Amino acid sequence: MLSVAEKIACLRKTELFRGMSSDALEKIAEVAQEMHFADDETIFNDGEKGDAVYSVVEGEVKAHRFGIEITRAGKDNCVGEMGVIDEGARIGSVSSIGNTVLLKVSRDDFYRVAENDLKLLQNVLKIVLRKIRKDTARQIETIRENERTEQDLLRAREMQMSMLPTEDLHVGPADCLCLKASGNCSPAEKVGGDYYDYFRLSDDQVGLVVGDVEGHGFHTGLMVAMAKSCLQVQMKTDHSIPSVMSALEDMVTGFMQSEHALYMTFCYIIVDLKAHTLLFCNAGHNYPYHYRASSDQLDMLESSARPLGMFTDMLGLQEFEASQSQWESGDVFVMYSDGIIEGEDENGEPFGEKRLEKLIKENAHLPPDQIKEMILREFRSFCHGTVQADDVSLIAVKMGT
């Protein structure tokens, strides 16, 4: 245990008690409580009522909040000074680093001495003003950093949205519409992980794609951009389903070898307008719907492959195969991301597949842009008052003669 003289010698070195009279220091030393802590022991917690200041005699302490270390204080430094100035709650936690010895001075004892020692009050004022300046500078820098991040995310969102179709797709002569497609994407955050597209492959073929990168944020948006680029390059050489899906999985697997391990669900459909056939492959994505107008029947285009990049380290790259189906005039296809069926109302009930299926059948007689709008309108009404937790993408396609 430290003697009063040893405590005085320790306190005199700290900024808070430096310059005080010997009598005042002796009074502080007499009431200072010596405390010993092992490694990583809590000294005080965030939110606790501040009632004392601590002087580090031996060892080191760290201040932290929300699991983030803010600063450290070693020998001859004080922590928790604000606890003797006001009665507010602590705004951070402090714990020991290694074996640590502290001197604890309570607020009441501090004030009894401070009433008769001008130097102690001056020291307190200097420390408080310095902390205010540091906190202000830190807050200003945080605001600036947040603004820079905000601008980066806004630019990234603009880039992502620019990669999506800007208009509906019409295929066929003016007097005989063979296919019309209409889509929409609404990211949950400024940069989302959903992607959709539709495009001409040849005079007789149209490609439809929808994908969903795990999560949402900057890195999911980056993978979406890479998927778009990969798709465009591959389409120029070989737009067959095995070639496109394999190229995309190669891209995703390469991305996963970085520090950001993400996977992607993806569905690719080739519509043959002349043969009235569909070729499709689904890598872990929600099955698209095929509404058959002649029988008023709603089917799912089922195709089994795991999400792109998932388990490739254990199972290797996949070999993709195309499934086939037929279509007739008046048929409707709906491709979507799971953000639609998983969207919840205020009571936590999901929108679900049944509601989506009902809407498709009820509105299948409408043009695809109106089918899309009817589904999104019902979805937004259902989820009114709740925060959109996931990206929402939807493509409606209607076949003509």
Side-chain angles (χ1 to χ4, degrees):
M1 299 293 290
L2 296 173
S3 65
V4 171
E6 289 172 326
K7 291 180 180 179
I8 291 174
C10 293
L11 292 171
R12 195 186 300 277
K13 297 176 183 178
T14 65
E15 183 179 9
L16 180 61
F17 298 107
R18 188 180 301 135
M20 290 177 57
S21 66
S22 298
D23 289 343
L25 265 178
E26 184 175 355
K27 292 178 182 178
I28 290 289
E30 288 174 349
V31 296
Q33 179 184 356
E34 183 178 339
M35 305 185 72
H36 293 254
F37 297 89
D39 183 41
D40 201 29
E41 283 196 76
T42 299
I43 298 166
F44 57 77
N45 282 313
D46 181 23
E48 290 181 357
K49 184 177 180 181
D51 62 354
V53 60
Y54 299 81
S55 175
V56 182
V57 178
E58 292 181 8
E60 192 176 18
V61 299
K62 62 179 178 181
H64 50 92
R65 194 177 192 196
F66 305 131
I68 301 174
E69 184 175 319
I70 301 171
T71 188
R72 294 189 178 197
K75 185 178 179 180
D76 303 332
N77 286 281
C78 290
V79 291
E81 301 97 321
M82 299 302 292
V84 298
I85 297 173
D86 62 31
E87 298 181 358
R90 302 280 193 187
I91 57 173
S93 300
V94 171
S95 56
S96 56
I97 302 175
N99 295 324
T100 305
V101 180
L102 305 178
L103 293 178
K104 176 182 178 180
V105 180
S106 71
R107 181 192 295 114
D108 292 341
D109 291 332
F110 184 88
Y111 277 143
R112 274 193 288 271
V113 176
E115 287 176 353
N116 300 307
D117 195 290
L118 179 60
K119 185 61 178 177
L120 181 55
L121 294 176
Q122 289 175 336
N123 288 348
V124 170
L125 181 60
K126 285 196 299 184
I127 291 171
V128 171
L129 289 176
R130 187 178 70 250
K131 283 183 175 290
I132 291 174
R133 284 195 295 268
K134 284 185 176 181
D135 288 345
T136 301
R138 188 182 298 115
Q139 290 173 12
I140 291 173
E141 182 56 33
T142 299
I143 291 171
R144 288 174 176 169
E145 184 62 31
N146 288 341
E147 288 178 348
R148 288 192 290 268
T149 301
E150 184 84 4
Q151 291 301 315
D152 288 344
L153 288 174
L154 286 173
R155 284 191 289 270
R157 177 187 170 89
E158 290 173 358
M159 291 176 61
Q160 182 196 1
M161 298 307 289
S162 69
M163 292 185 290
L164 302 176
T166 57
E167 58 186 11
D168 294 348
L169 176 66
H170 300 253
V171 179
D175 60 343
C176 182
L177 182 64
C178 291
L179 178 149
K180 183 177 180 181
S182 181
N184 182 82
C185 177
S186 175
E189 294 188 358
K190 290 182 176 63
V191 184
D194 278 11
Y195 168 65
Y196 78 90
D197 206 349
Y198 32 71
F199 37 78
R200 295 289 294 267
L201 296 172
S202 66
D203 290 342
D204 298 325
Q205 291 185 325
V206 172
L208 310 169
V209 299
V210 62
D212 185 1
V213 180
E214 174 195 17
H216 35 260
F218 177 79
H219 291 98
T220 59
L222 178 59
M223 186 183 284
V224 167
M226 293 173 66
K228 168 79 171 184
S229 177
C230 176
L231 196 63
Q232 287 180 325
V233 172
Q234 184 61 37
M235 290 296 176
K236 294 177 180 179
T237 57
D238 184 356
H239 65 250
S240 68
I241 283 178
S243 296
V244 169
M245 298 297 284
S246 295
L248 285 169
E249 182 158 68
D250 283 341
M251 180 277 297
V252 174
T253 301
F255 192 93
M256 290 181 68
Q257 291 174 354
S258 69
E259 60 181 284
H260 307 288
L262 303 174
Y263 65 86
M264 183 180 195
T265 65
F266 197 84
C267 182
Y268 175 32
I269 298 176
I270 296 177
V271 182
D272 192 306
L273 303 176
K274 187 175 181 179
H276 282 219
T277 59
L278 297 174
L279 295 176
F280 58 94
C281 185
N282 194 327
H285 200 78
N286 304 92
Y287 293 143
Y289 285 106
H290 179 182
Y291 172 77
R292 299 183 183 277
S294 61
S295 60
D296 191 32
Q297 181 179 339
L298 190 63
D299 297 328
M300 285 184 173
L301 298 178
E302 298 186 11
S303 173
S304 58
R306 65 178 183 269
L308 302 177
M310 179 175 280
F311 304 138
T312 53
D313 55 338
M314 296 182 291
L315 303 178
L317 298 175
Q318 304 179 76
E319 292 186 6
F320 297 96
E321 296 182 356
S323 300
Q324 184 169 326
S325 182
Q326 299 288 132
W327 63 267
E328 298 177 355
S329 177
D331 285 3
V332 172
F333 303 106
V334 173
M335 306 172 74
Y336 63 98
S337 64
D338 57 9
I340 290 183
I341 58 174
E342 293 177 0
E344 298 179 347
D345 65 8
E346 294 178 334
N347 298 317
E349 180 182 351
F351 189 75
E353 292 179 347
K354 296 300 182 184
R355 285 187 177 85
L356 179 58
E357 292 168 1
K358 183 173 181 290
L359 286 167
I360 294 172
K361 292 192 71 173
E362 288 178 347
N363 297 282
H365 63 285
L366 298 173
D369 55 331
Q370 294 183 34
I371 296 174
K372 175 196 71 179
E373 290 303 327
M374 289 297 293
I375 293 173
L376 293 176
R377 186 183 307 163
E378 288 297 319
F379 172 78
R380 290 164 183 153
S381 175
F382 179 84
C383 299
H384 179 69
T386 63
V387 177
Q388 182 180 325
D390 199 3
D391 307 331
V392 171
S393 292
L394 177 71
I395 303 176
V397 181
K398 192 159 189 178
M399 308 306 299
T401 57

